[in-house]
Amino acid sequence: MRSRSSRGRETRGFVARALGVVAVAAFVASACQATGTPTPTGTPSPTGGGKPFEGVTLNLLMEDLTETHYIADLLPDFKAKTGITVVFEQVPYSNMYEKLVTQLSGPEKSGSYDVVAVDYYWPGEFARSGWMLPLDDRIARDKTDLSGIIQAFFDVNGKVDGKTYYIPYFPYPMGIVYRKDLDVKIPKTMEEYVTYTKSLKKGDFYGAAMQGAPTDPIAMEWLNFLYANGGDLYAADLKTPTVNNEIGRKALDQYMDMIDNAAQTGAAGANLDDASNTFAQGKAATMVTYITIFAGFFQDPEKSVIVDKWEVAAMPGTGVGNVGVWSFGVPKSSKNPDAAWEFVKWVTSEPVARQRALKGGSPAYTAHYTDAEILAKFPYLTRAIDILKAGKGLPLITKQQDMVSTLGRELSKAAAHEVEPQEALDAIATKLAELATQ
Amino acid sequence: MTETSTTPPLPYHLAGRTRGLPFRWRLLIPVIVALIVVDAFPLTYAFVASLQRFLLSGTDLSRPFTGLQNYLDFASTAEFAKAAWNTVVLSASVVTLEIAIGFALAYLLALRDLRFRNLYFLVFMIPLLLSPVAVGLSWRLILHPDLGILNWVLGLVGLPKFAWLGDVDLAMPTVIAVDVWHETSALILIFYAGLQALPHEPIEAARVDGASGRQILRHIVLPLMAPIIVVAVLIRLVSAVKTYDLIYILTRGGPGTATETVSFLIWRTGLAGPLDVGKAAAGSIVLLLVIVVLTYFLLRATDRAAAME
């Protein structure tokens, strides 16, 4: 029989051990800080000669992909010109948002990142939360020429509520890549495309490589089906969801039909890398994907067996695909906003953008799509510009990331046959109506 | 006798008593400060946050007091019910399998005449050295339906391709299998150390009395190992209930919500979309309470096992 004192020790021991596990439960809150709306800063950057920012180091969080590598290759030029050292922290895309928001929501000049690369479903949230510096005054002061950039990109990821917060540098239009060596032809309508890809599925060869995993992969892929059918997430007022109307339902039925009957085994759990590898290894006839980002991957003989065997096309139906745009902005939490602006000016300038395009980057400047030297190396860009012009971004509501997250979660439930398609669309519409008010 | 005016100096730890705080408390100060910073502050912060409307982004960042609304909102959804069920299934499965496999392998490794013991140890310890992220990424490649080695091997014996992570019915068993592969190593180590520390006399005596290997295992080894097994269950159960990283890498909770755990749902609520820190904090507190209750019952079981010993 145990004594009272031993029970007491056990109780104290239990309390001590229990305290040992309490911290883990608080991991979300401890990662986040209270936030307020910082006030804008506007210290003019020196416009004279010399290197006023000599010795400054800028830290950036960047997605680990080819476009980032192209910029990294050019950074020695920037350092030679300005004396500024730029350090890239390269992470997978899926880690970027949570790393950014926990930094950006901190007090002014307290963040780890001096410049932020902003994907096209973050601009509204970042700007309206008061995290970003408006750049209009700096653009005007330095007479920065942005006229060569495709102006529609500023509507997707540049301007919020009439102010310029971001400079676009890297569009990534979505369309279809297909096997031209197998004489694959992309039909004119979505109905025909679904039927066609189903007919192409034979044994281990699939009509389409698809990415049905939650949350970004399926959301990004399905938006192409929605837009190609003439649908949209909201009505023009950006308040009334239209995602669950008959067009949305048709788009989801088509998508699920392809996941079940045209796509590779396990497509409902496949992410972008999985699907890209399936296509690159010659296992699929078509794939809805980011046509410019993956050009380098499909053309790399070490990673692909379809080098020179593929072509790009716009989505069937309306021809409208999902178009994403990456932009650079300067957060209020930047410790070096003026040096950061120098970097943004340099990296988005036409000469630097052209150097990136010559390496295989996705150009934001109109002129680069007719540049003979660039087209000689990357002829698919002649078709990419049409896809870009026809494409559509995301509705510019404040909580775009939440919108994509909701889309991905509910669509994945439908694709996995956890819920009926209409049930998933209605759930999305309910959430979109709520988000429109935030 | 007269007292001398020069008393010998007290030992340092006793001398400390004469100047304010007792010495033992002074030794504890760094630990107490560390606990406050690492445990008490985040916990208090999370608790306060759980009682507020606390959105990380948006046009209205005010944080009014909302009472228990976040708890009600978090726990009343179908997503939470599904995530809670998934967590129960995952935790119960991995703990049961890992304890059974870990003990069996440790027992085999502890056999006296085992050859190549060090080689087996090396092989079994490899997963222990890998981070969950590396494990998840490696297994994603292995499990790729078309390009992964697992389906290729199964194809050699005429089996069809399986969508390990893309099939609603297969995804959770697959996650459980990967977790078992990764986490069993640590249990082998714990059980092997326990087996090595067992007294030899009862086992030798039983052997002299003609007990079979199975009888020795059942009537001597297992009872003697009971406290260690309970501790191992406690460690793994608390860890399994919090499973997040493997889900994040392998399935993102999908397909649909087939593998979404409570920890993953908390992350998704707090950092992946809504940025609803208040609701995520409420979920964290709920999870904490579950872990504390589990810990309490398991510690009581440990005490009982120790008393039996």
Side-chain angles (χ1 to χ4, degrees), chain B residues 133-153:
Chain B
V133 174
V135 169
L137 290 173
S138 304
W139 275 99
R140 263 203 86 87
L141 293 174
I142 293 167
L143 297 167
H144 192 291
D146 289 303
L147 311 172
I149 194 167
L150 185 57
N151 272 354
W152 179 76
V153 170

Side-chain angles (χ1 to χ4, degrees), chain B residues 93-111:
Chain B
S93 304
V94 299
V95 171
T96 305
L97 289 168
E98 288 165 15
I99 293 291
I101 296 171
F103 188 85
L105 291 175
Y107 192 73
L108 293 173
L109 282 170
L111 291 176

Side-chain angles (χ1 to χ4, degrees), chain B residues 148-163:
Chain B
I149 194 167
L150 185 57
N151 272 354
W152 179 76
V153 170
L154 294 176
L156 294 179
V157 294
L159 289 173
K161 287 179 179 173
F162 293 98

Side-chain angles (χ1 to χ4, degrees), chain B residues 21 81 108 132 195 205 220 235 283:
Chain B
L21 216 53
L108 293 173
L195 289 167
I220 297 177
I235 292 170

Side-chain angles (χ1 to χ4, degrees), chain A residues 176-202 205-210 225 254 257-258 261-263 279 284-287 313-314 316:
Chain A
I176 296 178
V177 292
Y178 65 93
R179 293 285 299 279
K180 65 180 180 184
D181 62 312
L182 301 179
D183 204 25
V184 172
K185 308 282 185 204
I186 301 303
K188 286 192 167 22
T189 68
M190 281 301 291
E191 289 84 352
E192 289 168 345
Y193 176 60
V194 175
T195 306
Y196 181 55
T197 52
K198 284 160 66 179
S199 73
L200 291 172
K201 185 176 179 179
K202 300 266 185 335
F205 187 78
Y206 309 103
M210 297 183 72
F225 284 67
Q254 289 171 349
D257 195 5
M258 279 186 62
N261 303 306
F279 187 74
T286 70
M287 178 181 176

Side-chain angles (χ1 to χ4, degrees), chain A residues 187-422:
Chain A
K188 286 192 167 22
T189 68
M190 281 301 291
E191 289 84 352
E192 289 168 345
Y193 176 60
V194 175
T195 306
Y196 181 55
T197 52
K198 284 160 66 179
S199 73
L200 291 172
K201 185 176 179 179
K202 300 266 185 335
D204 286 349
F205 187 78
Y206 309 103
M210 297 183 72
Q211 38 179 317
T215 49
D216 303 65
I218 192 171
M220 293 297 99
E221 188 172 54
W222 181 73
L223 277 176
N224 293 281
F225 284 67
L226 180 66
Y227 294 164
N229 278 287
D232 209 335
L233 297 172
Y234 285 101
D237 62 2
L238 289 189
K239 294 190 185 309
T240 314
T242 55
V243 66
N244 59 339
N245 64 16
E246 67 277 9
I247 299 177
R249 176 60 193 268
K250 184 176 166 189
L252 185 51
D253 286 344
Q254 289 171 349
Y255 185 83
M256 290 173 62
D257 195 5
M258 279 186 62
I259 283 273
D260 290 340
N261 303 306
Q264 77 277 21
T265 308
N271 61 25
L272 177 59
D273 287 340
D274 296 328
S276 300
N277 279 317
T278 297
F279 187 74
Q281 293 306 311
K283 300 271 187 186
T286 70
M287 178 181 176
V288 174
T289 190
Y290 307 97
I291 56 177
T292 51
I293 295 178
F294 278 87
F297 181 68
F298 297 145
Q299 283 298 93
D300 184 345
E302 290 186 5
K303 298 171 183 165
S304 166
V305 300
I306 57 162
V307 175
D308 293 333
K309 294 178 180 174
W310 56 280
E311 189 51 90
V312 303
M315 290 299 294
T318 61
V320 179
N322 181 22
V323 172
V325 178
W326 279 93
S327 300
F328 280 116
V330 181
K332 289 180 178 172
S333 58
S334 169
K335 293 186 177 75
N336 302 289
D338 297 315
W341 169 240
E342 288 301 308
F343 173 77
V344 173
K345 272 195 304 183
W346 171 81
V347 75
T348 58
S349 66
E350 194 278 332
V352 175
R354 187 170 184 278
Q355 289 184 69
R356 287 192 282 113
L358 282 168
K359 289 170 178 284
S362 186
Y365 279 80
T366 311
H368 297 165
Y369 288 90
T370 52
D371 186 308
E373 192 179 352
I374 295 171
L375 290 181
K377 297 177 81 170
F378 308 105
Y380 62 85
L381 287 177
T382 53
R383 285 170 296 286
I385 185 67
D386 295 331
I387 295 170
L388 263 175
K389 283 178 179 171
K392 189 191 292 191
L394 285 170
L396 191 56
I397 62 168
T398 302
K399 298 287 242 179
Q400 286 169 304
Q401 173 74 36
D402 202 1
M403 175 173 69
V404 172
S405 179
T406 302
L407 268 179
R409 184 61 50 188
E410 297 301 329
L411 291 172
S412 178
K413 286 183 193 171
H417 298 281
E418 270 187 34
V419 299
E420 291 299 315
Q422 193 61 46

Side-chain angles (χ1 to χ4, degrees), chain B residues 31 37 49 52 61 69 93 101 104 152 158 165-166 178 181 187 196 218 222 232 237 249 259 280-282:
Chain B
V31 179
V37 171
Q52 297 173 325
L61 299 176
Q69 193 59 46
S93 304
I101 296 171
W152 179 76
L165 300 171
V178 173
W181 180 87
L187 296 178
Q196 294 300 307
R218 183 175 171 187
L222 279 176
L237 192 58
I249 298 294
T259 57

